[in-house]
Amino acid sequence: DAGVIQSPRHEVTEMGQEVTLRCKPISGHNSLFWYRQTMMRGLELLIYFNNNVPIDDSGMPEDRFSAKMPNASFSTLKIQPSEPRDSAVYFCASSFGRANNEQFFGPGTRLTVL
Amino acid sequence: DAKTTQPTSMDCAEGRAANLPCNHSTISGNEYVYWYRQIHSQGPQYIIHGLKNNETNEMASLIITEDRKSSTLILPHATLRDTAVYYCIVRVLSNFGNEKLTFGTGTRLTIIP
């Protein structure tokens, strides 16, 4: 398996633009997580899905952020409009709900908002 | 999830055992201890987890005290590739609900040649 796939790997955009980050979880996994990492705040959970249903979105910073999981093999995290403080590395992770709940992380998307 | 306390940083000589401590004095009976690590610029990687018994896998050993208020991750023969930030996390293993990971600041382990 190729592991969790994220695209793009790097994104540079200007303030006010819409940004869409994409994630393909590992096949067969039924939980998907979006995290954000910054120097100031560390690694923080934004939202997670179980069987394509959002379970906990309490970490989503504000209404400018939205996430969807239309099917078991694809998820998006959208920021509209983007702001410089959104600059961070965004990680997607997936896991098989039971088992040991090990989460497999993707390589991340480094977002820079100018 | 219970809060954990880890040293900010540690050094270890290459080839020696690296022992990373973690305090979780408020851990609940149904909470597991998980360890992840993050090598520079990569996503976190699962290492090991346990409830109350000591655990060992191909990467590391996990020693949990009898009162479960602290644990130690042991990398038996550290290599330069083990240089990373190591996160100790406690969380429940529920059937459906709370499966999220709450990352603290972790321990930055540097392996010295």
Side-chain angles (χ1 to χ4, degrees):
Chain A
D1 198 317
V4 175
I5 299 172
Q6 291 187 247
S7 65
R9 293 294 307 278
H10 301 273
E11 176 80 25
V12 180
T13 190
E14 293 187 345
M15 182 174 63
Q17 295 298 306
E18 177 180 295
V19 175
T20 299
L21 310 181
R22 297 172 175 80
C23 176
K24 176 178 169 55
I26 292 173
S27 177
H29 284 189
N30 62 351
S31 294
L32 183 140
F33 306 78
W34 283 101
Y35 293 86
R36 178 174 68 176
Q37 187 169 33
T38 61
M39 288 295 293
M40 291 295 294
R41 300 176 65 88
L43 197 60
E44 52 184 349
L45 178 71
L46 300 177
I47 185 171
Y48 78 98
F49 297 82
N50 185 257
N51 292 326
N52 311 338
V53 176
I55 301 300
D56 183 352
D57 65 355
S58 60
M60 295 287 263
E62 49 196 273
D63 291 346
R64 297 186 297 107
F65 286 69
S66 62
K68 294 182 179 180
M69 192 165 187
N71 57 62
S73 60
F74 184 65
S75 177
T76 59
L77 178 67
K78 184 176 294 186
I79 308 172
Q80 166 63 15
S82 59
E83 297 182 3
R85 59 191 169 126
D86 301 330
S87 297
V89 180
Y90 291 80
F91 290 103
C92 176
S94 70
S95 72
F96 180 64
R98 305 295 189 271
N100 64 2
N101 285 186
E102 173 185 350
Q103 292 186 18
F104 293 81
F105 284 75
T109 294
R110 181 174 296 276
L111 173 65
T112 302
V113 183
L114 303 174
Chain B
D1 292 342
K3 183 176 179 178
T4 62
T5 304
Q6 300 178 251
T8 302
S9 64
M10 293 180 63
D11 292 340
C12 178
E14 187 179 15
R16 303 297 295 268
N19 296 277
L20 292 90
C22 179
N23 287 319
H24 32 79
S25 59
T26 59
I27 191 170
S28 301
N30 63 343
E31 288 182 313
Y32 286 70
V33 180
Y34 277 76
W35 284 84
Y36 278 74
R37 74 179 182 184
Q38 186 174 23
I39 296 171
H40 182 62
S41 297
Q42 299 181 21
Q45 174 191 23
Y46 166 85
I47 301 173
I48 198 167
H49 78 288
L51 182 62
K52 54 184 178 180
N53 297 321
N54 297 338
E55 302 288 344
T56 296
N57 62 21
E58 65 278 3
M59 290 183 68
S61 295
L62 174 60
I63 309 298
I64 303 174
T65 58
E66 191 169 344
D67 64 6
R68 301 206 329 119
K69 293 184 177 182
S70 65
S71 61
T72 301
L73 178 74
I74 301 172
L75 307 179
H77 305 287
T79 70
L80 298 179
R81 289 177 296 179
D82 292 322
T83 292
V85 178
Y86 287 76
Y87 297 97
C88 170
I89 302 164
V90 293
R91 49 137 12 161
V92 296
L93 249 186
S94 68
N95 286 333
F96 178 78
N98 182 5
E99 300 177 355
K100 62 185 179 183
L101 296 171
T102 302
F103 288 86
T105 54
T107 296
R108 183 172 297 277
L109 174 67
T110 302
I111 305 302
I112 310 297

